[in-house]
Amino acid sequence: MKLLTHNLLSSHVPGLRPGGGFPLRIELGHPSELPPEPVPNYEGDEEFLRRLHHVLLEVEVLEGALQCPDSGRRFPISKGVPNMLLTEDEA
Amino acid sequence: MKKLKLKELESCLQQVDTFESPKLLLEQYATRPHIAACMLYTIHNTFDDIENKTIADLGCGCGMLSIGSAMLGAGFCVGLDIDADALEIFNSNIEDFELTNVNMVQCDICSLSDSMSDTFDTVIMNPPFGTKHNKGIDIIFLKTALQMAKTAVYSLHKTSTRQHIQKKAAEWEVKMEVLAELRFDLPASYKFHKKKSVSIKPDITDKILR
């Protein structure tokens, strides 16, 4: 799962507040290579853009989880595939 | 990017691994390489809706349409399917073809509703038809696809459902075109244009693909 794919996903468990369930928090075993906030004038910062491009399009999360910011519900990621299937109770 | 010929595309797609034990209730069958190649070639060359675009493949199965799109220069493809076994085959196909711009998500299209609105340029799909205790599923896929796509949805449907689909297209205020009709009980292929249009007279171009 690339970061670009992650950006498209949200929790669609019924009953969340409008606009809720997004963005999902990525749980990994190791820290990110990016600073927590974009630096000012990041458009001109080659080094930052390279790292951003790398994280957005070249890094694949193979194992981990996506956590809903509202409910805490975890969607597991296995072999690079996030599992967004809802349980019987949730659907 | 080297221009891929139709025959070359079809040849490549013949290498795509398909279902080992297709699950009947999910209507699993791989889109035939010939059909996939013709469909994708038209979408690319006539409508320019593949190259450098973001593409979603709903009910992707083993990934025939996603892989074909990637080969025609798609910017990024995401396949969505409910079945982990199918996605495993899709994953191994991606490795075999050494594709770096294809991802997949396991989910139930029927429960997505509008949670992914306007997230892709194009949706290309061969959805289940609703023949296995899942009547109406083709319409749900279509509706969701139209919500997800910014520009167009290309989809395969049974010819017998054409009138019903035309009615739905009118209801949803989308312009619908029949692009090709495939004989011998094979589905007809449609293009759904996202741009809202009040006149819903479909432009029927009947091409018989063998």
mmCIF file of all heavy atoms in Angstrom, chain A residues 47-89:
data_model
loop_
_atom_site.group_PDB
_atom_site.id
_atom_site.type_symbol
_atom_site.label_atom_id
_atom_site.label_comp_id
_atom_site.label_asym_id
_atom_site.label_seq_id
_atom_site.Cartn_x
_atom_site.Cartn_y
_atom_site.Cartn_z
ATOM 1 N N GLU A 47 15.483 18.687 -1.567
ATOM 2 C CA GLU A 47 15.702 17.544 -0.669
ATOM 3 C C GLU A 47 14.369 17.062 -0.090
ATOM 4 O O GLU A 47 14.068 15.869 -0.070
ATOM 5 C CB GLU A 47 16.660 17.967 0.454
ATOM 6 C CG GLU A 47 16.860 16.925 1.545
ATOM 7 C CD GLU A 47 17.476 15.617 1.043
ATOM 8 O OE1 GLU A 47 18.157 15.646 0.015
ATOM 9 O OE2 GLU A 47 17.234 14.581 1.682
ATOM 10 N N PHE A 48 13.570 18.021 0.353
ATOM 11 C CA PHE A 48 12.265 17.684 0.923
ATOM 12 C C PHE A 48 11.367 17.046 -0.144
ATOM 13 O O PHE A 48 10.696 16.044 0.109
ATOM 14 C CB PHE A 48 11.592 18.938 1.499
ATOM 15 C CG PHE A 48 10.187 18.694 1.976
ATOM 16 C CD1 PHE A 48 9.951 18.133 3.233
ATOM 17 C CD2 PHE A 48 9.096 18.995 1.167
ATOM 18 C CE1 PHE A 48 8.653 17.900 3.666
ATOM 19 C CE2 PHE A 48 7.801 18.761 1.606
ATOM 20 C CZ PHE A 48 7.578 18.212 2.851
ATOM 21 N N LEU A 49 11.365 17.643 -1.345
ATOM 22 C CA LEU A 49 10.516 17.124 -2.430
ATOM 23 C C LEU A 49 10.905 15.706 -2.819
ATOM 24 O O LEU A 49 10.062 14.856 -3.090
ATOM 25 C CB LEU A 49 10.604 18.046 -3.657
ATOM 26 C CG LEU A 49 9.924 19.402 -3.516
ATOM 27 C CD1 LEU A 49 10.179 20.264 -4.741
ATOM 28 C CD2 LEU A 49 8.424 19.254 -3.288
ATOM 29 N N ARG A 50 12.222 15.454 -2.804
ATOM 30 C CA ARG A 50 12.676 14.100 -3.125
ATOM 31 C C ARG A 50 12.135 13.110 -2.101
ATOM 32 O O ARG A 50 11.657 12.029 -2.432
ATOM 33 C CB ARG A 50 14.206 14.037 -3.145
ATOM 34 C CG ARG A 50 14.776 14.045 -4.559
ATOM 35 C CD ARG A 50 16.231 13.637 -4.660
ATOM 36 N NE ARG A 50 17.036 13.932 -3.479
ATOM 37 C CZ ARG A 50 17.383 13.034 -2.580
ATOM 38 N NH1 ARG A 50 17.009 11.782 -2.715
ATOM 39 N NH2 ARG A 50 18.105 13.388 -1.535
ATOM 40 N N ARG A 51 12.255 13.500 -0.819
ATOM 41 C CA ARG A 51 11.795 12.597 0.243
ATOM 42 C C ARG A 51 10.275 12.437 0.196
ATOM 43 O O ARG A 51 9.742 11.358 0.438
ATOM 44 C CB ARG A 51 12.240 13.099 1.613
ATOM 45 C CG ARG A 51 13.693 12.717 1.921
ATOM 46 C CD ARG A 51 14.027 12.916 3.371
ATOM 47 N NE ARG A 51 14.344 14.292 3.659
ATOM 48 C CZ ARG A 51 14.264 14.823 4.862
ATOM 49 N NH1 ARG A 51 13.845 14.117 5.887
ATOM 50 N NH2 ARG A 51 14.605 16.066 5.048
ATOM 51 N N LEU A 52 9.568 13.531 -0.154
ATOM 52 C CA LEU A 52 8.112 13.483 -0.253
ATOM 53 C C LEU A 52 7.685 12.550 -1.384
ATOM 54 O O LEU A 52 6.813 11.702 -1.219
ATOM 55 C CB LEU A 52 7.551 14.887 -0.501
ATOM 56 C CG LEU A 52 6.027 14.986 -0.619
ATOM 57 C CD1 LEU A 52 5.370 14.582 0.689
ATOM 58 C CD2 LEU A 52 5.601 16.394 -1.001
ATOM 59 N N HIS A 53 8.343 12.695 -2.535
ATOM 60 C CA HIS A 53 8.049 11.839 -3.694
ATOM 61 C C HIS A 53 8.281 10.378 -3.331
ATOM 62 O O HIS A 53 7.494 9.497 -3.655
ATOM 63 C CB HIS A 53 8.932 12.235 -4.873
ATOM 64 C CG HIS A 53 8.757 11.341 -6.062
ATOM 65 N ND1 HIS A 53 9.553 10.230 -6.305
ATOM 66 C CD2 HIS A 53 7.857 11.363 -7.068
ATOM 67 C CE1 HIS A 53 9.159 9.629 -7.403
ATOM 68 N NE2 HIS A 53 8.134 10.286 -7.887
ATOM 69 N N HIS A 54 9.390 10.152 -2.626
ATOM 70 C CA HIS A 54 9.743 8.796 -2.232
ATOM 71 C C HIS A 54 8.664 8.190 -1.334
ATOM 72 O O HIS A 54 8.190 7.077 -1.569
ATOM 73 C CB HIS A 54 11.097 8.822 -1.499
ATOM 74 C CG HIS A 54 11.511 7.482 -0.976
ATOM 75 N ND1 HIS A 54 11.794 6.403 -1.776
ATOM 76 C CD2 HIS A 54 11.673 7.049 0.300
ATOM 77 C CE1 HIS A 54 12.117 5.362 -1.036
ATOM 78 N NE2 HIS A 54 12.051 5.717 0.233
ATOM 79 N N VAL A 55 8.261 8.958 -0.316
ATOM 80 C CA VAL A 55 7.271 8.446 0.637
ATOM 81 C C VAL A 55 5.897 8.284 -0.009
ATOM 82 O O VAL A 55 5.169 7.340 0.275
ATOM 83 C CB VAL A 55 7.183 9.379 1.873
ATOM 84 C CG1 VAL A 55 5.961 9.056 2.707
ATOM 85 C CG2 VAL A 55 8.424 9.237 2.715
ATOM 86 N N LEU A 56 5.545 9.194 -0.908
ATOM 87 C CA LEU A 56 4.219 9.163 -1.526
ATOM 88 C C LEU A 56 4.081 8.038 -2.533
ATOM 89 O O LEU A 56 3.049 7.367 -2.598
ATOM 90 C CB LEU A 56 3.977 10.508 -2.226
ATOM 91 C CG LEU A 56 2.538 10.918 -2.479
ATOM 92 C CD1 LEU A 56 1.803 11.113 -1.179
ATOM 93 C CD2 LEU A 56 2.485 12.205 -3.281
ATOM 94 N N LEU A 57 5.129 7.823 -3.340
ATOM 95 C CA LEU A 57 4.995 6.917 -4.474
ATOM 96 C C LEU A 57 5.899 5.689 -4.445
ATOM 97 O O LEU A 57 5.682 4.751 -5.190
ATOM 98 C CB LEU A 57 5.271 7.674 -5.782
ATOM 99 C CG LEU A 57 4.217 8.710 -6.132
ATOM 100 C CD1 LEU A 57 4.704 9.611 -7.255
ATOM 101 C CD2 LEU A 57 2.923 8.057 -6.557
ATOM 102 N N GLU A 58 6.934 5.728 -3.615
ATOM 103 C CA GLU A 58 7.885 4.617 -3.680
ATOM 104 C C GLU A 58 7.894 3.726 -2.454
ATOM 105 O O GLU A 58 8.351 2.594 -2.508
ATOM 106 C CB GLU A 58 9.302 5.146 -3.960
ATOM 107 C CG GLU A 58 9.400 5.718 -5.378
ATOM 108 C CD GLU A 58 10.664 6.538 -5.617
ATOM 109 O OE1 GLU A 58 11.448 6.696 -4.664
ATOM 110 O OE2 GLU A 58 10.855 7.012 -6.743
ATOM 111 N N VAL A 59 7.389 4.213 -1.347
ATOM 112 C CA VAL A 59 7.354 3.392 -0.147
ATOM 113 C C VAL A 59 6.060 2.591 -0.133
ATOM 114 O O VAL A 59 4.997 3.112 -0.405
ATOM 115 C CB VAL A 59 7.433 4.271 1.126
ATOM 116 C CG1 VAL A 59 7.200 3.427 2.370
ATOM 117 C CG2 VAL A 59 8.767 4.988 1.191
ATOM 118 N N GLU A 60 6.191 1.307 0.158
ATOM 119 C CA GLU A 60 4.990 0.470 0.274
ATOM 120 C C GLU A 60 4.884 -0.054 1.702
ATOM 121 O O GLU A 60 5.827 -0.636 2.222
ATOM 122 C CB GLU A 60 5.101 -0.744 -0.666
ATOM 123 C CG GLU A 60 5.163 -0.407 -2.132
ATOM 124 C CD GLU A 60 3.814 -0.506 -2.837
ATOM 125 O OE1 GLU A 60 2.788 -0.725 -2.160
ATOM 126 O OE2 GLU A 60 3.776 -0.355 -4.062
ATOM 127 N N VAL A 61 3.753 0.165 2.332
ATOM 128 C CA VAL A 61 3.530 -0.441 3.641
ATOM 129 C C VAL A 61 3.095 -1.876 3.386
ATOM 130 O O VAL A 61 2.107 -2.124 2.693
ATOM 131 C CB VAL A 61 2.426 0.298 4.433
ATOM 132 C CG1 VAL A 61 2.133 -0.443 5.739
ATOM 133 C CG2 VAL A 61 2.834 1.729 4.689
ATOM 134 N N LEU A 62 3.855 -2.844 3.899
ATOM 135 C CA LEU A 62 3.504 -4.253 3.679
ATOM 136 C C LEU A 62 2.679 -4.802 4.838
ATOM 137 O O LEU A 62 1.710 -5.518 4.643
ATOM 138 C CB LEU A 62 4.777 -5.079 3.464
ATOM 139 C CG LEU A 62 5.521 -4.760 2.162
ATOM 140 C CD1 LEU A 62 6.812 -5.550 2.078
ATOM 141 C CD2 LEU A 62 4.656 -5.046 0.953
ATOM 142 N N GLU A 63 3.117 -4.499 6.045
ATOM 143 C CA GLU A 63 2.391 -4.992 7.222
ATOM 144 C C GLU A 63 2.175 -3.823 8.171
ATOM 145 O O GLU A 63 3.072 -3.024 8.378
ATOM 146 C CB GLU A 63 3.190 -6.078 7.950
ATOM 147 C CG GLU A 63 3.571 -7.277 7.080
ATOM 148 C CD GLU A 63 2.388 -8.151 6.693
ATOM 149 O OE1 GLU A 63 1.453 -8.288 7.512
ATOM 150 O OE2 GLU A 63 2.386 -8.692 5.564
ATOM 151 N N GLY A 64 0.998 -3.741 8.726
ATOM 152 C CA GLY A 64 0.713 -2.657 9.658
ATOM 153 C C GLY A 64 -0.785 -2.535 9.847
ATOM 154 O O GLY A 64 -1.511 -3.528 9.717
ATOM 155 N N ALA A 65 -1.243 -1.328 10.121
ATOM 156 C CA ALA A 65 -2.675 -1.114 10.292
ATOM 157 C C ALA A 65 -3.016 0.342 10.032
ATOM 158 O O ALA A 65 -2.148 1.219 10.087
ATOM 159 C CB ALA A 65 -3.107 -1.514 11.699
ATOM 160 N N LEU A 66 -4.271 0.584 9.712
ATOM 161 C CA LEU A 66 -4.796 1.943 9.560
ATOM 162 C C LEU A 66 -5.798 2.154 10.677
ATOM 163 O O LEU A 66 -6.703 1.344 10.861
ATOM 164 C CB LEU A 66 -5.488 2.104 8.204
ATOM 165 C CG LEU A 66 -4.599 1.914 6.980
ATOM 166 C CD1 LEU A 66 -5.439 1.899 5.700
ATOM 167 C CD2 LEU A 66 -3.561 3.017 6.906
ATOM 168 N N GLN A 67 -5.623 3.240 11.431
ATOM 169 C CA GLN A 67 -6.531 3.442 12.553
ATOM 170 C C GLN A 67 -7.474 4.610 12.321
ATOM 171 O O GLN A 67 -7.050 5.707 11.934
ATOM 172 C CB GLN A 67 -5.721 3.680 13.836
ATOM 173 C CG GLN A 67 -6.586 3.549 15.078
ATOM 174 C CD GLN A 67 -5.834 3.875 16.344
ATOM 175 O OE1 GLN A 67 -4.950 4.719 16.347
ATOM 176 N NE2 GLN A 67 -6.196 3.203 17.423
ATOM 177 N N CYS A 68 -8.758 4.393 12.572
ATOM 178 C CA CYS A 68 -9.759 5.438 12.403
ATOM 179 C C CYS A 68 -9.547 6.496 13.480
ATOM 180 O O CYS A 68 -9.480 6.163 14.671
ATOM 181 C CB CYS A 68 -11.156 4.848 12.518
ATOM 182 S SG CYS A 68 -12.460 6.094 12.512
ATOM 183 N N PRO A 69 -9.448 7.790 13.086
ATOM 184 C CA PRO A 69 -9.197 8.832 14.082
ATOM 185 C C PRO A 69 -10.386 9.079 15.004
ATOM 186 O O PRO A 69 -10.231 9.644 16.082
ATOM 187 C CB PRO A 69 -8.917 10.076 13.217
ATOM 188 C CG PRO A 69 -9.579 9.799 11.915
ATOM 189 C CD PRO A 69 -9.541 8.310 11.721
ATOM 190 N N ASP A 70 -11.586 8.631 14.589
ATOM 191 C CA ASP A 70 -12.769 8.856 15.428
ATOM 192 C C ASP A 70 -13.048 7.704 16.376
ATOM 193 O O ASP A 70 -13.299 7.911 17.560
ATOM 194 C CB ASP A 70 -14.014 9.075 14.537
ATOM 195 C CG ASP A 70 -13.905 10.355 13.768
ATOM 196 O OD1 ASP A 70 -14.186 11.415 14.372
ATOM 197 O OD2 ASP A 70 -13.517 10.307 12.594
ATOM 198 N N SER A 71 -13.032 6.477 15.843
ATOM 199 C CA SER A 71 -13.445 5.335 16.661
ATOM 200 C C SER A 71 -12.280 4.507 17.183
ATOM 201 O O SER A 71 -12.445 3.691 18.082
ATOM 202 C CB SER A 71 -14.355 4.418 15.852
ATOM 203 O OG SER A 71 -13.599 3.809 14.816
ATOM 204 N N GLY A 72 -11.094 4.694 16.591
ATOM 205 C CA GLY A 72 -9.958 3.874 17.002
ATOM 206 C C GLY A 72 -9.942 2.514 16.333
ATOM 207 O O GLY A 72 -9.017 1.726 16.496
ATOM 208 N N ARG A 73 -10.939 2.232 15.540
ATOM 209 C CA ARG A 73 -11.066 0.938 14.861
ATOM 210 C C ARG A 73 -9.881 0.753 13.925
ATOM 211 O O ARG A 73 -9.500 1.657 13.199
ATOM 212 C CB ARG A 73 -12.360 0.953 14.029
ATOM 213 C CG ARG A 73 -12.913 -0.425 13.683
ATOM 214 C CD ARG A 73 -12.406 -0.906 12.365
ATOM 215 N NE ARG A 73 -13.322 -1.858 11.732
ATOM 216 C CZ ARG A 73 -12.953 -2.902 10.993
ATOM 217 N NH1 ARG A 73 -11.688 -3.136 10.799
ATOM 218 N NH2 ARG A 73 -13.864 -3.683 10.443
ATOM 219 N N ARG A 74 -9.299 -0.438 13.976
ATOM 220 C CA ARG A 74 -8.120 -0.714 13.162
ATOM 221 C C ARG A 74 -8.471 -1.526 11.918
ATOM 222 O O ARG A 74 -9.198 -2.511 12.008
ATOM 223 C CB ARG A 74 -7.119 -1.542 13.979
ATOM 224 C CG ARG A 74 -6.200 -0.715 14.797
ATOM 225 C CD ARG A 74 -5.129 -1.598 15.455
ATOM 226 N NE ARG A 74 -4.202 -0.793 16.182
ATOM 227 C CZ ARG A 74 -4.436 -0.270 17.376
ATOM 228 N NH1 ARG A 74 -5.599 -0.514 17.957
ATOM 229 N NH2 ARG A 74 -3.533 0.488 17.978
ATOM 230 N N PHE A 75 -7.931 -1.099 10.773
ATOM 231 C CA PHE A 75 -8.044 -1.876 9.534
ATOM 232 C C PHE A 75 -6.658 -2.445 9.254
ATOM 233 O O PHE A 75 -5.716 -1.700 9.021
ATOM 234 C CB PHE A 75 -8.490 -0.967 8.374
ATOM 235 C CG PHE A 75 -9.852 -0.365 8.562
ATOM 236 C CD1 PHE A 75 -9.989 0.886 9.142
ATOM 237 C CD2 PHE A 75 -10.995 -1.047 8.156
ATOM 238 C CE1 PHE A 75 -11.249 1.457 9.317
ATOM 239 C CE2 PHE A 75 -12.258 -0.485 8.311
ATOM 240 C CZ PHE A 75 -12.387 0.770 8.901
ATOM 241 N N PRO A 76 -6.489 -3.773 9.293
ATOM 242 C CA PRO A 76 -5.155 -4.331 9.130
ATOM 243 C C PRO A 76 -4.640 -4.227 7.691
ATOM 244 O O PRO A 76 -5.431 -4.216 6.745
ATOM 245 C CB PRO A 76 -5.339 -5.813 9.526
ATOM 246 C CG PRO A 76 -6.776 -6.102 9.330
ATOM 247 C CD PRO A 76 -7.524 -4.803 9.511
ATOM 248 N N ILE A 77 -3.306 -4.133 7.579
ATOM 249 C CA ILE A 77 -2.658 -4.189 6.268
ATOM 250 C C ILE A 77 -1.803 -5.448 6.264
ATOM 251 O O ILE A 77 -0.951 -5.635 7.132
ATOM 252 C CB ILE A 77 -1.733 -2.982 6.040
ATOM 253 C CG1 ILE A 77 -2.516 -1.674 6.209
ATOM 254 C CG2 ILE A 77 -1.123 -3.031 4.633
ATOM 255 C CD1 ILE A 77 -1.622 -0.450 6.271
ATOM 256 N N SER A 78 -2.020 -6.303 5.268
ATOM 257 C CA SER A 78 -1.258 -7.539 5.206
ATOM 258 C C SER A 78 -0.788 -7.761 3.775
ATOM 259 O O SER A 78 -1.566 -7.646 2.840
ATOM 260 C CB SER A 78 -2.150 -8.686 5.690
ATOM 261 O OG SER A 78 -1.569 -9.914 5.375
ATOM 262 N N LYS A 79 0.496 -8.063 3.598
ATOM 263 C CA LYS A 79 1.097 -8.249 2.269
ATOM 264 C C LYS A 79 0.797 -7.054 1.356
ATOM 265 O O LYS A 79 0.560 -7.202 0.169
ATOM 266 C CB LYS A 79 0.560 -9.528 1.606
ATOM 267 C CG LYS A 79 0.907 -10.783 2.368
ATOM 268 C CD LYS A 79 0.433 -12.032 1.624
ATOM 269 C CE LYS A 79 0.318 -13.215 2.569
ATOM 270 N NZ LYS A 79 -0.450 -14.312 1.993
ATOM 271 N N GLY A 80 0.807 -5.875 1.955
ATOM 272 C CA GLY A 80 0.613 -4.671 1.157
ATOM 273 C C GLY A 80 -0.834 -4.331 0.852
ATOM 274 O O GLY A 80 -1.113 -3.335 0.193
ATOM 275 N N VAL A 81 -1.774 -5.156 1.330
ATOM 276 C CA VAL A 81 -3.180 -4.926 1.020
ATOM 277 C C VAL A 81 -3.951 -4.521 2.275
ATOM 278 O O VAL A 81 -4.046 -5.292 3.222
ATOM 279 C CB VAL A 81 -3.836 -6.198 0.430
ATOM 280 C CG1 VAL A 81 -5.283 -5.919 0.023
ATOM 281 C CG2 VAL A 81 -3.042 -6.714 -0.767
ATOM 282 N N PRO A 82 -4.504 -3.288 2.302
ATOM 283 C CA PRO A 82 -5.326 -2.916 3.447
ATOM 284 C C PRO A 82 -6.679 -3.623 3.369
ATOM 285 O O PRO A 82 -7.269 -3.718 2.279
ATOM 286 C CB PRO A 82 -5.504 -1.394 3.280
ATOM 287 C CG PRO A 82 -5.204 -1.109 1.852
ATOM 288 C CD PRO A 82 -4.347 -2.218 1.322
ATOM 289 N N ASN A 83 -7.152 -4.160 4.485
ATOM 290 C CA ASN A 83 -8.425 -4.861 4.534
ATOM 291 C C ASN A 83 -9.479 -3.950 5.146
ATOM 292 O O ASN A 83 -9.475 -3.706 6.343
ATOM 293 C CB ASN A 83 -8.265 -6.139 5.370
ATOM 294 C CG ASN A 83 -9.560 -6.948 5.420
ATOM 295 O OD1 ASN A 83 -10.628 -6.454 5.061
ATOM 296 N ND2 ASN A 83 -9.474 -8.176 5.875
ATOM 297 N N MET A 84 -10.351 -3.416 4.271
ATOM 298 C CA MET A 84 -11.369 -2.471 4.729
ATOM 299 C C MET A 84 -12.732 -3.145 4.917
ATOM 300 O O MET A 84 -13.741 -2.464 5.070
ATOM 301 C CB MET A 84 -11.525 -1.315 3.718
ATOM 302 C CG MET A 84 -10.220 -0.660 3.274
ATOM 303 S SD MET A 84 -9.278 0.069 4.621
ATOM 304 C CE MET A 84 -10.330 1.425 5.080
ATOM 305 N N LEU A 85 -12.761 -4.476 4.932
ATOM 306 C CA LEU A 85 -14.039 -5.175 5.085
ATOM 307 C C LEU A 85 -14.628 -4.897 6.455
ATOM 308 O O LEU A 85 -13.940 -4.964 7.472
ATOM 309 C CB LEU A 85 -13.851 -6.695 4.922
ATOM 310 C CG LEU A 85 -13.530 -7.194 3.512
ATOM 311 C CD1 LEU A 85 -13.250 -8.689 3.547
ATOM 312 C CD2 LEU A 85 -14.677 -6.897 2.554
ATOM 313 N N LEU A 86 -15.928 -4.604 6.490
ATOM 314 C CA LEU A 86 -16.603 -4.354 7.755
ATOM 315 C C LEU A 86 -17.074 -5.673 8.342
ATOM 316 O O LEU A 86 -17.321 -6.635 7.618
ATOM 317 C CB LEU A 86 -17.810 -3.427 7.531
ATOM 318 C CG LEU A 86 -17.513 -2.096 6.864
ATOM 319 C CD1 LEU A 86 -18.805 -1.287 6.738
ATOM 320 C CD2 LEU A 86 -16.482 -1.317 7.661
ATOM 321 N N THR A 87 -17.193 -5.728 9.674
ATOM 322 C CA THR A 87 -17.733 -6.930 10.318
ATOM 323 C C THR A 87 -19.241 -6.930 10.142
ATOM 324 O O THR A 87 -19.831 -5.922 9.779
ATOM 325 C CB THR A 87 -17.405 -6.947 11.818
ATOM 326 O OG1 THR A 87 -18.031 -5.826 12.414
ATOM 327 C CG2 THR A 87 -15.903 -6.885 12.042
ATOM 328 N N GLU A 88 -19.864 -8.067 10.460
ATOM 329 C CA GLU A 88 -21.325 -8.181 10.325
ATOM 330 C C GLU A 88 -22.038 -7.124 11.148
ATOM 331 O O GLU A 88 -23.035 -6.556 10.727
ATOM 332 C CB GLU A 88 -21.779 -9.577 10.791
ATOM 333 C CG GLU A 88 -21.522 -10.622 9.755
ATOM 334 C CD GLU A 88 -22.689 -11.590 9.579
ATOM 335 O OE1 GLU A 88 -23.725 -11.399 10.244
ATOM 336 O OE2 GLU A 88 -22.555 -12.503 8.768
ATOM 337 N N ASP A 89 -21.494 -6.851 12.346
ATOM 338 C CA ASP A 89 -22.140 -5.870 13.241
ATOM 339 C C ASP A 89 -22.036 -4.464 12.705
ATOM 340 O O ASP A 89 -22.894 -3.637 12.923
ATOM 341 C CB ASP A 89 -21.500 -5.909 14.636
ATOM 342 C CG ASP A 89 -21.556 -7.306 15.237
ATOM 343 O OD1 ASP A 89 -22.588 -7.965 15.025
ATOM 344 O OD2 ASP A 89 -20.570 -7.702 15.884
#
